[in-house]
């Protein structure tokens, strides 16, 4: 995961291309207000892409495919703390 300031915009990217196993179109991406529709938007190559998300609190993003699940967590730096 990574730490960001409250209200930061982060870019979530994915690459679900797998020639051997296929099934990329069955993947879903959720978390941070993402519904998974970004992966099946019908334009361009849905196997790869990005989406910008504003993070106001600890947020977990989950990429779920027939071959497995991957989770990524973004933490918000508490106000008043410098790193």
């Amino acid at each position: 995961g990574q730490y960001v300031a409250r209200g930061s915009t982060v870019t979530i990217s994915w690459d679900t291309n797998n020639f051997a196993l296929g099934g990329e179109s069955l993947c879903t991406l959720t978390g941070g207000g993402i519904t998974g529709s970004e992966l099946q938007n019908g334009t361009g190559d849905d196997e790869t892409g990005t989406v910008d998300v504003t993070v106001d609190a600890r947020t977990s993003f989950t990429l779920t495919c027939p071959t497995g699940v991957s989770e990524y967590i973004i933490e918000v730096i508490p106000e008043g703390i410098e790193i």
Side-chain angles (χ1 to χ4, degrees):
Q2 75 182 67
Y3 287 84
V4 299
R6 184 179 311 280
S8 294
T9 299
V10 297
T11 300
I12 305 298
S13 61
W14 63 87
D15 183 349
T16 60
N17 192 26
N18 187 319
F19 291 177
L21 299 173
E24 301 86 17
S25 63
L26 300 177
C27 296
T28 58
L29 176 64
T30 56
I34 297 172
T35 62
S37 60
E38 283 79 4
L39 296 180
Q40 289 90 29
N41 60 17
T43 59
D45 182 0
D46 294 338
E47 296 168 351
T48 62
T50 62
V51 63
D52 291 334
V53 178
T54 300
V55 178
D56 291 317
R58 182 181 192 273
T59 306
S60 174
F61 297 92
T62 304
L63 180 64
T64 305
C65 294
T67 55
V69 175
S70 179
E71 182 179 37
Y72 192 81
I73 297 173
I74 296 183
E75 301 277 2
V76 170
I77 300 169
E79 292 182 12
I81 296 178
E82 295 182 17
I83 59 169

